[in-house]
Amino acid sequence: MLAMLFLRSYERAERVYFAMLSRGYTGQYKCCGHCHRIKKLDLSFGAGMITASWAIKIIDMGGIPWSLLLK
């Protein structure tokens, strides 16, 4: 029974692979390389998100009294 299950899964994987090949699958990414570089906007957005989350956590823990924030 286990061998039959393995055989069916192997045949299914083979059919899927051949279907992918018939649709033009080559196994390689078509990228010119510029889309994977980190930009200054990405870094500033990440730094802003980290800063905002830390600020919210510090305020939530009571690190900064509300009276100072309202002035």
Side-chain angles (χ1 to χ4, degrees), residues 3-22:
M4 194 65 167
L5 182 64
F6 175 74
L7 185 61
R8 285 185 57 175
S9 66
Y10 180 77
E11 289 173 351
R12 167 86 175 153
E14 194 174 42
R15 286 195 310 265
V16 168
Y17 177 69
F18 286 136
M20 290 170 65
L21 285 179
S22 70

Side-chain angles (χ1 to χ4, degrees), residues 49-68:
M49 292 298 290
I50 290 171
T51 303
S53 65
W54 274 99
I56 290 170
K57 183 65 175 174
I58 289 171
I59 291 170
D60 185 47
M61 291 173 54
I64 300 174
W66 284 103
S67 60
L68 292 176

Side-chain angles (χ1 to χ4, degrees), residues 30-47:
K30 297 178 183 175
C31 182
C32 57
H34 77 281
C35 58
H36 296 295
R37 295 188 185 135
I38 297 176
K39 300 174 183 142
K40 290 180 184 178
L41 181 64
D42 297 330
L43 289 175
S44 61
F45 180 75

